């Protein structure tokens, strides 16, 4: 007598299984791609014919990446909630939830600048409004929730201080920099003034939080030595709050005339230059320090990791910051600086993009984390996950 075979166990769909190890750090690729498009449109120089179309295409790519990643992360939360909760409770991965906010904001902010010729201004503003609202809400929540988790649930040693800690704190600064783009499209009076001053408040929120964390990062480098090789590119994340704060003040000053009293508008313009020039000086010093660490890491065998995307969006904020200062001061040196930084941004984006495509095709980037070695060497830091993947 032939008996029926027992039913096969139900397994997750292969498509869902692919995203099990897809962390929030992947949103950094969306941020970096959007930065190439939007920072290019912000350059204070005349662009050759056809470049605007190319920049719009790069921004459209970032929009496509955002939609794809949102769909993949939805599958992740539906089928792998255990892994999603583990990311929140992981001190190495939780700060990357700030990237969710910044990806939404970066793509939305590019709509009325890089994407307006393709979308039309009304559609571009509507898309920006939706993504800006969602991104700002998520960013403000992450700026509170992630430090809360780090203080009450995570167990962190001083030697584990990382530039990644800045990610949830800089998200409100991105809102501060991109919100002024929407000010002219609001009704005159209270709505415009409210959004403009809200952007200034988010500038302060992010700035003071950054000033508290940045000394921990520099102190960790000095007292505990270089970061692990795979995490070395995250040093460039420090440029994010520096360049973005300079950009934010420039954008706020540009939107202020007619929205706040004339004396306030003039004061904001003066403040944007008096603040931005010293901060840009520090940013250039940190850029040189980071590049020196990167050269050292490459000589010691640093391969590609998703942390390479940390060299894109932060550099893009310095491009827009230098461009804002160039417009307010009319200095040729600042124009040249913004162009030079943009060249660096494009190079970093091409390198990170090439490594990501190759890793996706090989399947390595979506594979599970490698088992941790029993005895970590000085080149490997103690973390509970691999944010480089």
């Amino acid at each position: 007598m032939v008996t029926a075979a027992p039913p096969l166990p139900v397994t997750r769909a292969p498509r869902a299984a692919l995203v099990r190890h897809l962390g929030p750090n992947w949103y950094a690729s969306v941020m970096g791609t959007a930065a190439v498009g939007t920072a290019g449109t912000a350059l204070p120089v005349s662009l050759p014919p056809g470049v605007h179309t190319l920049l719009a295409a790069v921004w459209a790519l970032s929009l496509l990446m955002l939609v794809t990643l949102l769909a993949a992360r939805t599958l992740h939360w539906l089928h792998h909630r255990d892994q999603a909760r583990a990311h929140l409770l992981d001190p190495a991965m939780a700060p990357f939830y700030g990237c969710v906010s910044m990806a939404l904001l970066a793509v939305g902010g590019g709509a009325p600048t890089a994407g307006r010729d393709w979308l039309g201004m009304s559609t571009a503003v509507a898309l920006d409004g939706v993504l800006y609202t969602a991104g700002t809400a998520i960013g403000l929540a992450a700026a509170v929730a992630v430090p809360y988790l780090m203080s009450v649930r995570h167990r962190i040693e001083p030697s584990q201080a990382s530039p990644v800690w800045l990610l949830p704190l800089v998200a409100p600064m991105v809102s501060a920099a991109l919100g002024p783009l929407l000010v002219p499209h609001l009704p005159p009076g209270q709505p415009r003034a409210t959004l403009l001053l809200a952007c200034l408040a988010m500038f302060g929120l992010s700035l003071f939080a950054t000033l508290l964390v940045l000394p921990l990062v520099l102190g960790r480098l000095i007292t505990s030595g270089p970061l692990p090789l795979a995490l070395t590119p995250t040093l460039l994340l420090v440029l994010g709050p520096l360049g973005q704060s300079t950009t934010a003040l420039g954008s706020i000053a540009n939107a202020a005339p007619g929205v706040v009293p004339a004396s306030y508008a003039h004061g904001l313009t003066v403040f944007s230059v008096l603040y931005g020039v010293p901060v840009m000086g520090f940013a250039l010093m940190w850029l040189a320090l980071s590049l020196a660490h990167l050269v050292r890491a490459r000589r010691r065998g640093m391969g590609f990791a998703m942390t390479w995307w940390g060299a894109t969006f932060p550099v893009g904020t310095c491009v827009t910051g230098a461009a804002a200062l160039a417009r307010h001061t009319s200095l040729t040196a600042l124009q040249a600086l913004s162009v030079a930084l943009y060249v660096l941004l494009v190079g970093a984006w091409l390198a990170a993009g090439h490594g990501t495509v190759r890793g996706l095709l090989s399947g390595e980037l979506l594979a599970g984390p490698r088992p941790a070695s029993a005895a970590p060497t000085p080149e490997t830091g103690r973390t509970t996950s691999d944010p480089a993947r």
Side-chain angles (χ1 to χ4, degrees), residues 179-188 192 195 254-255 259:
L181 293 175
L182 292 170
V183 168
H185 302 283
L186 293 177
R192 292 185 181 181
L195 178 57
N254 290 339
V259 177

Side-chain angles (χ1 to χ4, degrees), residues 59 108 110-113 115-117 119-129 182:
W59 171 82
T113 55
R116 63 185 177 187
D117 292 338
L119 298 176
M121 183 55 78
S122 59
T123 302
V125 170
L127 177 61
D128 187 15
L182 292 170

Side-chain angles (χ1 to χ4, degrees), residues 272-296:
S272 69
V273 175
L274 294 182
Y275 170 90
V277 172
V279 168
M280 192 57 62
F282 178 71
L284 292 176
M285 183 278 288
W286 192 271
L287 175 61
L289 176 65
S290 301
L291 292 178
H293 274 267
L294 282 172
V295 170
R296 173 189 175 277

Side-chain angles (χ1 to χ4, degrees), residues 33-46:
T33 303
V36 172
T38 56
T41 62
L43 289 174
V45 294
S46 298

Side-chain angles (χ1 to χ4, degrees), residues 98 136-152 168-169 171-172 205 209:
T136 299
I138 294 171
L140 291 174
V144 176
V146 174
Y148 175 80
L149 288 173
M150 293 176 70
S151 64
V152 302
L169 304 179
L205 180 162

Side-chain angles (χ1 to χ4, degrees), residues 68-156:
T68 303
L69 189 54
L70 288 174
R73 288 287 296 170
T74 300
L75 285 175
H76 183 270
W77 275 94
L78 289 175
H79 297 281
H80 306 290
R81 293 180 184 175
D82 60 325
Q83 189 75 2
R85 286 192 295 268
H87 286 161
L88 282 172
L89 298 178
D90 183 349
M93 189 62 72
F96 283 97
Y97 273 92
C99 292
V100 181
S101 165
M102 290 186 281
L104 294 169
L105 292 167
V107 174
T113 55
R116 63 185 177 187
D117 292 338
W118 288 12
L119 298 176
M121 183 55 78
S122 59
T123 302
V125 170
L127 177 61
D128 187 15
V130 171
L131 295 181
Y132 180 82
T133 302
T136 299
I138 294 171
L140 291 174
V144 176
V146 174
Y148 175 80
L149 288 173
M150 293 176 70
S151 64
V152 302
R153 295 297 299 272
H154 301 163
R155 294 295 177 262
I156 302 173

